[in-house]
Structure formats: C-alpha cells, structure tokens
Amino acid sequence: MAFVVALDGPAAAGKGTLARLIAQHYGFHHLDTGLTYRATAKALMDAGLPLDDEAVAERVALTLDLAGLDRAELSRHDIGEAASRVAVMPAVRRALVEAQRAFSAMEPGTVLDGRDIGTVVCPQAQVKFYVTADPEIRAQRRLDEIVERGGAQDFQSVLSDIIQRDERDMGRADSPLRPARDAHLLDTSKMRIEAAFSAAKTVIDSALRT
Ligand code: DC
C-alpha cells in the first residue's frame, strides 16, 4: 500500500507550501485537491454554464484530467470563490474524490492537501496534519501574494473573503472542513514554514519507521 500524507486546513494556512516541501523531500507525488474543484468551476465558467446545476457540474467533474491542472492558471480569486460553491454539491465531490483516491494509491507515496483528505478521501492515511493559522495572518499572507503579483486590494476585503470562505467550507453538509481525530495540529500563525516542515518531518519519519 502506498504511503499517504494527508494535509487539511483552511485557505492560506500554508498547507500547499508544506505539501510541496514534503513531496519533494520524500520523492512522493503531490496533489493539491483544491485545484480539482477550481478546474471544475473554471470549466463551467468558460463554457458559460451555471455553477449551481449539480448534474452539469458532475459531468464536468467526471471528465477532469488530473494531469492537466495548472496552479498559475487556476489561482484567480473568482475561480476560488466559484470552486467553493461547486464544492458543496455531493455529486461533484463523489466524482472528484474518486479521482483523488486513485491518485493517492501511486507508489512510492503521495501527499494530498485539501479540506477533507484525512476525514473522507484518505481516512487510512499513515500521517495526517491539520494546518491552520489565525484569519488575520492568513489574510495578510494572501494580500502579500496579491501585491507580489502586481495586484491591489485592501486588507479588510481580503479578511472578509477568508472568513466567508471558512464559513462555507466548515459549514457545508457534505465533508465539511474539520480536523480528523488522529490529525497532528500545525498552527502556522507564529511558526515559519521551515519550522512547520521540520515538525512534519519528525512525525513522517517516525511513521515511516513503523
Ligand atoms: O484550497 P483552495 O482555495 O484551492 O480550494 C478551493 C475550494 O475548493 C475551497 O473553497 C473548498 C474546496 N475544496 C474542497 O471542498 N475540498 C478539498 N479537498 C479541496 C478544496
């Protein structure tokens, strides 16, 4: 059985960066599952289809090619918003979760990050992390990214987006964002990414020895 590292947590908590560092260090395959929801939403938007028709969205989700997911192309704010709306539909989640599970079985191991990896997609994962940080800190990080890309936005609107996204992700009926019972908590509010990576490595190394 492939070794699976599951990382869950709210937007901009640092789980993507952490997942990439872990995958690189251990030579594991990495899947940012948020991109699967984003790609589904973008395909609907590009085709001028509604975001709230479950049967249509399911059909799009079933034909998604995981190999073609491009973070740069899918990082747009409006795509993230649309993704969190598409992600409340059970038929869409079923289709994408199946593709994510198939990915997680790749040898020698995989790292998946998202909202429901440790709870729903890979409950058997050998190691689970719940990565979080205070909303204000996450909003500041998001704002820094926007500014770095040459954009402009005010802190309050980024913060209210983050809070609204948290509510939608944690409040939905199907697979809400929450820590798995056996997840290791990593609060990155006051922790640099190097420190979070080092803490994660200790846990993974120990699981690999058993
Ligand atoms: O992590 P992100 O911003 O790329 O995710 C976009 C949306 O996709 C997010 O609001 C919730 C949804 N999502 C999900 O429901 N389950 C996942 N495993 C990953 C993302």
Side-chain angles (χ1 to χ4, degrees):
M1 200 170 63
F3 191 91
V4 180
V5 179
L7 287 119
D8 291 304
K15 60 184 188 307
T17 308
L18 205 51
R20 278 190 292 282
L21 289 173
I22 293 170
Q24 211 168 42
H25 182 79
Y26 293 98
F28 290 170
H29 307 275
H30 171 222
L31 178 64
D32 172 351
T33 61
L35 295 184
T36 65
Y37 292 92
R38 285 172 180 265
T40 304
K42 181 170 186 293
L44 289 167
M45 289 157 81
D46 287 352
L49 293 165
L51 288 170
D52 55 358
D53 184 325
E54 189 157 357
V56 171
E58 179 190 24
R59 224 174 307 131
V60 169
L62 282 167
T63 58
L64 197 71
D65 177 11
L66 293 194
L69 300 174
D70 179 358
R71 162 159 278 278
E73 188 191 322
L74 295 168
S75 66
R76 250 174 36 214
H77 181 72
D78 60 322
I79 298 178
E81 273 301 302
S84 95
R85 290 177 55 196
V86 162
V88 303
M89 296 188 273
V92 172
R93 302 202 69 85
R94 265 196 308 277
L96 296 181
V97 165
E98 194 170 318
Q100 293 160 11
R101 280 194 185 132
F103 181 96
S104 75
M106 284 202 290
E107 296 286 355
T110 52
V111 184
L112 281 81
D113 69 278
R115 304 290 192 288
D116 59 343
I117 309 303
T119 50
V120 175
V121 181
C122 300
Q124 85 297 347
Q126 285 83 348
V127 180
K128 299 178 187 176
F129 295 106
Y130 189 79
V131 188
T132 186
D134 299 339
E136 291 75 12
I137 304 249
R138 290 188 281 127
Q140 189 57 54
R141 286 182 191 153
R142 224 349 98 77
L143 186 59
D144 292 346
E145 281 170 17
I146 293 168
V147 171
E148 214 169 287
R149 285 200 300 265
Q153 216 175 329
D154 68 291
F155 177 79
Q156 278 310 324
S157 76
V158 178
L159 178 61
S160 71
D161 275 351
I162 289 255
I163 291 171
Q164 201 178 32
R165 180 87 70 86
D166 285 358
E167 279 168 5
R168 204 178 291 151
D169 293 345
M170 292 175 188
R172 67 174 175 237
D174 189 349
S175 317
L177 169 64
R178 61 178 173 80
R181 237 178 308 132
D182 49 350
H184 298 266
L185 190 72
L186 284 175
D187 186 333
T188 64
S189 300
K190 296 193 184 73
M191 203 189 242
R192 293 176 63 87
I193 197 70
E194 294 81 4
F197 176 51
S198 158
K201 226 164 37 178
T202 305
V203 175
I204 298 169
D205 284 343
S206 142
L208 280 168
R209 278 196 297 272
T210 58

